[in-house]
Amino acid sequence: MITNKLSVSNRLAALPVSAIRKLTPYAAEAKAKGVKVYHLNIGDPDVKTPDVMLDVLKTWNQNPIRYAQSQGEPEFVNALLWYYHRLGHKFVQRSNIIATVGGSEACVMALFAVANPGEEVLVFEPFYSNYATCAAIMGVKLVPVPTSIENGFHLPDRQAIESRISPKTRALLFCTPGNPTGSVYTREEMDLLVSVAKDHDLFLISDEVYREYVFGGREHVSILSYMEQIPEQAIMVDSLSKRYSLCGARLGVFLTLNEAMIKGVTRMAQARLSGGLIDQFVGMQLTHVPDAYIEAVQVEYQKRRDVLYAGLNSIPGVTMARPEGAFYSMVGLPVKDSDDFCLWLLSEYRSNNETVMLAPGSGFYATPGKGTNEVRVAYVLNTRDLNRCVELVRDALNVYQQTRRS
Ligand SMILES: Cc1ncc(COP(=O)(O)O)c(C=O)c1O
């Protein structure tokens, strides 16, 4: 127990370090020494933002830059409505939506909305590592339900899910298409989640920020297609970050038909006053983004997936499930401690003065000891660079295995 009155709070000190960013200082150090670092560790796409969203900035003429409305600027919310209606979900109304500061804020709001401190939320493991930090901030306990690389990180059976439900469980949190897994839940899997939620009176928080990135003719099944069945229970988290390569614009969505919840989340939104007015001015252009933009990006990510999947799987001892969507995969490596391997890549390993940065797998698990032989990769680089990354991983594993470390 820390007693010094000027010590930071125990809960602050206990927040987990970001699995994705924790090695950043080592990458910065390598770069300062002139080393080229390929970033496979973070999902910050190199894809260009649609022109129509950038061009509109040249027309900005409001001075001063005022607050946006707390729930979102009406024109931006209208653009979101247009988007959801076009997806076929005509029931969505303006009053069901809060425009958030990225999907990240929507995740925080969702966890705050469903659980009291000490209560539990089930999450399928491995999971997006910031869920752990958001849950820790809220004092909510994430209870992991394991999935495995062998079945492409798809859902386990009903019994495996139900066995983790306790009197304290309030919600199921999931992400489809999945970060970090690349799995896309089928309609049967979504049916299962909805059925479990119904039987046990649980909320469902569906993170769909990668909705458009689904490969090989698969269908993305949204929680929106169940919302009218379970209006009190379903919450959708969404974001424009990946869809339009707008990560820095901080545009997200919290969506539910639960009126009491929207009322409460509106109070949260009011307490932080507003999202970015200029960001929403950019975002409202989404109605003008040609379909060809998203289609081209889908094709590009599928190409990248194929390059990385073929490349990494050709390395002895490396296992990678074929991603069905998003732009991530958890990759099994022939190492005992991927934290050490990832650190070594940045601090010691060089090939032609180049190296590669990977995200250690353990940060995507809540179960101690899991993920220690895995890394998460994000294929947000062009195919030439991805091929180089595969070469670097192959060579680095060889060198690493010849030292004391493997
Ligand atoms: C699964 C998932 N959810 C939510 C987010 C939040 O994204 P943003 O805050 O940029 O909208 C991310 C970002 O990487 C993500 O991968």
Side-chain angles (χ1 to χ4, degrees):
M1 182 68 154
I2 297 172
T3 51
N4 182 342
K5 278 192 180 165
L6 290 182
S7 300
V8 299
S9 67
N10 292 337
R11 60 186 183 169
L12 181 68
L15 284 186
V17 179
S18 161
I20 301 159
R21 295 175 191 264
K22 70 180 175 187
L23 296 177
T24 302
Y26 299 94
E29 208 175 300
K31 286 180 198 170
K33 290 181 189 150
V35 177
K36 170 150 179 71
V37 179
Y38 290 89
H39 285 273
L40 278 189
N41 61 307
I42 191 156
D44 195 357
D46 64 346
V47 169
K48 294 278 181 258
T49 307
D51 288 340
V52 69
M53 289 179 153
L54 285 183
D55 291 347
V56 76
L57 284 171
K58 296 179 199 139
T59 70
W60 178 266
N61 60 9
Q62 295 183 37
N63 187 354
I65 300 171
R66 55 186 177 82
Y67 289 119
Q69 292 198 15
S70 297
Q71 299 98 313
E73 283 295 281
E75 296 87 342
F76 178 50
V77 177
N78 282 343
L80 293 169
L81 276 180
W82 172 88
Y83 168 80
Y84 295 120
H85 289 178
R86 204 158 169 250
L87 284 178
H89 309 294
K90 296 273 190 317
F91 64 89
V92 180
Q93 296 176 23
R94 174 195 288 263
S95 58
N96 308 134
I97 291 179
I98 307 275
T100 56
V101 181
S104 304
E105 190 186 36
C107 290
V108 170
M109 288 169 161
L111 286 170
F112 190 80
V114 299
N116 295 305
E119 291 182 328
E120 297 174 358
V121 170
L122 261 49
V123 63
F124 298 96
E125 182 182 65
F127 54 83
Y128 174 51
S129 52
N130 282 334
Y131 293 159
T133 318
C134 293
I137 291 170
M138 298 300 140
V140 170
K141 184 174 174 209
L142 285 188
V143 175
V145 181
T147 65
S148 73
I149 201 166
E150 289 77 27
N151 78 344
F153 300 106
H154 277 276
L155 291 184
D157 61 21
R158 185 182 190 104
Q159 198 276 330
I161 301 172
E162 289 184 325
S163 67
R164 266 110 185 149
I165 295 175
S166 82
K168 288 187 174 170
T169 311
R170 303 303 312 272
L172 295 167
L173 166 62
F174 55 93
C175 176
T176 177
N179 172 13
T181 60
S183 57
V184 177
Y185 294 163
T186 61
R187 189 162 289 281
E188 289 69 35
E189 287 174 293
M190 292 295 286
D191 286 348
L192 172 64
L193 292 171
V194 169
S195 159
V196 170
K198 277 183 179 168
D199 286 359
H200 296 268
D201 286 338
L202 299 175
F203 293 106
L204 285 175
I205 307 170
S206 183
D207 181 339
E208 304 186 4
V209 310
Y210 298 97
R211 177 181 302 109
E212 271 74 14
Y213 303 125
V214 175
F215 311 131
R218 273 185 187 74
E219 178 199 15
H220 174 254
V221 185
S222 170
I223 194 69
L224 288 171
S225 58
Y226 298 86
M227 264 204 184
E228 288 173 293
Q229 263 185 55
I230 46 167
E232 303 300 310
Q233 286 167 272
I235 301 163
M236 188 189 62
V237 167
D238 207 355
S239 167
L240 276 65
S241 289
K242 319 288 164 154
R243 187 168 308 138
Y244 305 109
S245 241
L246 279 177
C247 289
R250 313 309 303 131
L251 293 167
V253 176
F254 177 98
L255 195 158
T256 183
L257 301 189
N258 182 322
E259 286 177 21
M261 190 178 286
I262 276 285
K263 269 196 194 140
V265 170
T266 301
R267 293 197 290 274
M268 291 182 82
Q270 287 167 344
R272 56 76 161 126
L273 304 184
S274 107
L277 184 68
I278 299 181
D279 301 33
Q280 293 182 36
F281 181 63
V282 169
M284 65 182 73
Q285 295 304 311
L286 69 90
T287 55
H288 301 300
V289 176
D291 290 343
Y293 172 85
I294 298 280
E295 285 157 18
V297 180
Q298 281 166 337
V299 169
E300 179 61 26
Y301 279 128
Q302 184 155 341
K303 210 162 65 183
R304 293 173 179 196
R305 176 206 59 177
D306 292 343
V307 165
L308 202 64
Y309 176 69
L312 288 180
N313 268 322
S314 73
I315 302 173
V318 174
T319 46
M320 174 173 168
R322 191 159 186 241
E324 299 163 341
F327 37 71
Y328 304 96
S329 189
M330 290 298 282
V331 178
L333 296 183
V335 299
K336 286 200 189 86
D337 181 354
S338 57
D339 275 273
D340 180 66
F341 178 64
C342 293
L343 179 59
W344 172 85
L345 281 172
L346 293 173
S347 54
E348 291 181 45
Y349 173 76
R350 308 286 179 254
S351 164
N352 256 344
N353 212 27
E354 293 181 340
T355 191
V356 58
M357 185 166 180
L358 306 168
S362 55
F364 299 87
Y365 288 84
T367 308
K370 277 207 163 179
T372 51
N373 64 341
E374 292 173 5
V375 289
R376 190 201 66 171
V377 293
Y379 39 97
V380 290
L381 306 177
N382 64 49
T383 50
R384 190 173 37 85
D385 286 354
L386 286 177
N387 276 316
R388 177 64 182 144
C389 289
V390 170
E391 268 176 32
L392 287 168
V393 172
R394 185 189 307 275
D395 181 61
L397 280 171
N398 263 331
V399 177
Y400 190 77
Q401 282 162 342
Q402 283 160 24
T403 69
R404 63 190 163 76
R405 297 166 186 269
S406 62

